[in-house]
Amino acid sequence: LAMSCRLFIIDDTLKTARQLIAKYEQDPNSIPRIRHTLSETSKDIILLEEVLLYLRESLEQDTSIYAEPTDESGYRLYQVLKVKTILNDLHVRIEDMQKVLLGARHEVNGLRQMADTIAETQMFRLQEEIRGNSSDMLQQLKINERQSTSLDVMQVIFAGSLAFDILDRLTGEWSVVHTSWARAYIVDPFMSKPMLWFIISMMVWFGVGTGVFSMMRDLNDRTAGVITYRVKVNKGIDLNALDDFLSRKSVISEDGDADALNANQKVSWIEKDVSRWEGYQPKIEMIYDVKHGFLLSVYMQVTRRASKPARLRPETMKMRFFTELQEAGVMAPDDAAEVIDNTRRRQTRQGELVMIEDSSVFLKVRVPGERHYREIPFGRQSYLELREEIAHKFECKPVQVLQVFKEPDILIADDDDVSRLKPGTVLEVNIKNFSGYKSAQQELPAPP
């Protein structure tokens, strides 16, 4: 009876926990309460399973209770008490209770998973709020940066005004007007006439203000455009090669964080080779584990003019950086290729619906001798992707695409050349053993 009552209590507790999960948004402390309830219920289930195990062992190990008495009085008492029936019923009840406890354990596991899902949902919401707050903080930092630029300009103006005031105090007056040339060229033509010198002063003020405003706008425009890219790597690296690689960089900051398990190092630098980065100087930050030799993450940021189109895309920036790590021996070629491929932008496959039908987002491709063009999607960021798209359009293998030319005769040979292509550009390709040559030549009119 006590076991049955305890099972009913557990079932009621699990129903209460399910109700708390269903109304978790009404109580901010619901998740800790749910987890505490499930933990206590798991302890009760474990104790009940132990009790049932002891009962089963007592019934199986003590075989004397199954023996029927040999004397008449004992046998009659055995029949009256229905010992055999009670033992069979006890076996059945133990099995039933074990099934009920097994169901309760599954129920606890299911509720625990639901609680974990709720916790993950709350954590996701928190991350979204943190991301929104971070965006607001970033906007505020940009505003502060513009204000600091204005403050620097005002400090220069104030320093000039202070210097002129000091000179005026040292000389006692603006003595240049007492010279003969100043009276002939400044005082008599301008200062002696009513309102003329005031108008000239206002015009000079307007000119200086316009120049200062233009300078501030140009300074803000240089840093208003930002290109960022963050990659989670988690690949092995050669620490000695990394040290040689960093020795050639202008490192601006290093930070370490170590414990008993990991020893993470964060290093930041600014690239000086502007020819490699399309005239930009990206800031790169790496986080790696010096204890186990793993590159954890990479963060790249480029500050550019907001008024001009970007010459570098995040995808291209990522490919060039990891290619540089591979060339320096920091990462294995397979690991670098895997990172680039895993984070590659999604490509539209055959049969997928493309919502944009504008011809300006395509490149026009043809082989020598063909009169018509074939269109391929614009936006491929590497030479290999361009060759794959051309091979797919002409139904051949990428290795058969020998050369790609931009009309009239500009060779497209690397990723930089591909990044400079514009929508609607006409390309001419040489394809090995392409049957279209013969058919195209057959379509050409005969010479007169």
Side-chain angles (χ1 to χ4, degrees):
L1 181 62
M3 290 285 294
S4 299
C5 292
R6 197 63 187 173
L7 289 176
F8 291 142
I9 293 174
I10 290 176
D11 183 67
D12 185 68
T13 304
L14 294 178
K15 290 181 180 179
T16 304
R18 183 174 288 276
Q19 293 176 358
L20 290 175
I21 291 176
K23 302 179 181 179
Y24 75 95
E25 294 182 349
Q26 300 178 2
D27 186 4
N29 300 320
S30 59
I31 297 300
R33 291 175 55 189
I34 292 170
R35 288 179 173 174
H36 177 74
T37 301
L38 295 178
S39 176
E40 294 297 326
T41 306
S42 298
K43 292 180 182 179
D44 294 340
I45 292 175
I46 292 174
L47 292 176
L48 291 177
E49 287 178 343
E50 290 179 355
V51 171
L52 292 178
L53 179 62
Y54 295 149
L55 287 176
R56 178 180 290 276
E57 290 180 353
S58 63
L59 292 176
E60 293 177 352
Q61 293 179 2
D62 188 5
T63 57
S64 61
I65 57 177
Y66 296 97
E68 297 181 357
T70 55
D71 57 304
E72 183 179 356
S73 59
Y75 180 78
R76 184 174 179 81
L77 180 62
Y78 185 85
Q79 294 293 333
V80 171
L81 295 177
K82 299 180 180 181
V83 176
K84 188 174 182 180
T85 303
I86 293 175
L87 291 176
N88 293 332
D89 292 342
L90 188 57
H91 275 289
V92 173
R93 290 185 179 182
I94 291 175
E95 292 179 357
D96 291 341
M97 290 182 180
Q98 285 181 341
K99 294 177 182 178
V100 173
L101 288 177
L102 181 61
R105 179 172 291 279
H106 290 325
E107 179 75 10
V108 169
N109 293 334
L111 294 176
R112 184 175 287 113
Q113 292 178 1
M114 294 173 64
D116 293 340
T117 303
I118 294 173
E120 292 177 358
T121 303
Q122 293 179 341
M123 183 61 65
F124 177 75
R125 292 179 180 176
L126 179 61
Q127 291 177 354
E128 291 295 325
E129 293 178 359
I130 293 176
R131 182 176 302 176
N133 294 334
S134 300
S135 300
D136 296 338
M137 292 175 60
L138 180 60
Q139 294 294 332
Q140 189 63 36
L141 289 175
K142 290 183 178 180
I143 294 174
N144 293 337
E145 185 177 357
R146 289 195 293 268
Q147 292 177 351
S148 64
T149 304
S150 303
L151 181 60
D152 293 338
V153 174
M154 293 303 298
Q155 287 177 348
V156 174
I157 296 175
F158 175 76
S161 301
L162 180 61
F164 296 151
D165 289 341
I166 292 175
L167 290 177
D168 290 342
R169 293 299 180 271
L170 292 177
T171 57
E173 61 180 351
W174 193 30
S175 58
V176 68
V177 298
H178 298 295
T179 60
S180 59
W181 67 267
R183 285 195 298 270
Y185 294 102
I186 299 177
V187 178
D188 295 338
F190 302 108
M191 298 183 66
S192 60
K193 296 180 180 180
M195 297 299 295
L196 182 58
W197 187 250
F198 175 76
I199 295 174
I200 294 176
S201 300
M202 293 298 101
M203 292 175 62
V204 173
W205 182 20
F206 178 77
V208 173
T210 304
V212 172
F213 178 76
S214 300
M215 182 178 64
M216 292 176 56
R217 184 172 59 182
D218 181 73
L219 293 176
N220 293 330
D221 182 69
R222 292 182 180 180
T223 58
V226 179
I227 303 174
T228 60
Y229 201 91
R230 188 184 301 273
V231 185
K232 290 185 178 180
V233 183
N234 295 330
K235 295 293 182 182
I237 56 174
D238 188 344
L239 294 177
N240 294 327
L242 179 61
D243 292 337
D244 296 336
F245 176 77
L246 294 177
S247 64
R248 300 190 296 270
K249 304 297 181 180
S250 301
V251 178
I252 57 177
S253 66
E254 291 188 69
D255 186 19
D257 183 13
D259 54 23
L261 300 177
N262 301 304
N264 296 338
Q265 189 80 13
K266 181 171 69 175
V267 58
S268 303
W269 72 89
I270 297 178
E271 291 287 345
K272 300 299 182 181
D273 187 6
V274 295
S275 61
R276 185 180 181 88
W277 303 97
E278 301 296 336
Y280 297 131
Q281 290 184 323
K283 180 182 178 181
I284 300 178
E285 178 181 290
M286 291 176 52
I287 301 178
Y288 58 97
D289 189 349
V290 297
K291 187 174 183 180
H292 302 97
F294 268 79
L295 178 60
L296 304 180
S297 64
V298 175
Y299 176 74
M300 293 170 281
Q301 179 179 354
V302 170
T303 302
R304 64 176 183 85
R305 286 187 177 272
S307 59
K308 295 183 179 180
R311 300 188 299 270
L312 191 65
R313 298 290 300 278
E315 184 80 10
T316 306
M317 184 166 56
K318 175 201 66 177
M319 295 177 64
R320 292 184 182 180
F321 176 72
F322 283 100
T323 302
E324 184 179 5
L325 289 182
Q326 174 187 340
E327 294 173 351
V330 178
M331 294 185 66
D334 294 340
D335 291 340
E338 183 178 354
V339 172
I340 293 174
D341 186 67
N342 289 341
T343 57
R344 189 185 300 274
R345 58 183 291 176
R346 180 181 180 273
Q347 300 182 18
T348 303
R349 302 298 181 186
Q350 184 179 8
E352 293 183 343
L353 179 62
V354 180
M355 299 302 296
I356 301 177
E357 299 293 340
D358 188 2
S359 61
S360 63
V361 295
F362 292 97
L363 296 174
K364 299 179 179 180
V365 185
R366 70 177 182 182
V367 296
E370 281 189 343
R371 295 180 176 180
H372 61 277
Y373 300 97
R374 310 188 190 194
E375 293 180 342
I376 62 174
F378 172 76
R380 299 295 176 250
Q381 295 299 312
S382 68
Y383 180 68
L384 294 178
E385 291 180 353
L386 180 63
R387 289 182 57 189
E388 291 176 358
E389 200 65 45
I390 293 174
H392 175 72
K393 178 60 67 173
F394 286 90
E395 299 181 353
C396 63
K397 297 181 180 179
V399 294
Q400 294 180 251
V401 181
L402 302 180
Q403 291 177 321
V404 181
F405 292 92
K406 175 183 175 182
E407 290 190 346
D409 56 355
I410 301 176
L411 179 64
I412 306 297
D414 54 20
D415 296 346
D416 293 338
D417 296 336
V418 175
S419 63
R420 296 189 185 97
L421 296 177
K422 298 181 180 180
T425 302
V426 178
L427 301 179
E428 190 171 282
V429 296
N430 292 330
I431 302 179
K432 183 179 180 181
N433 298 330
F434 180 60
S435 59
Y437 288 130
K438 298 180 180 179
S439 60
Q441 292 175 0
Q442 293 175 358
E443 293 176 359
L444 292 176

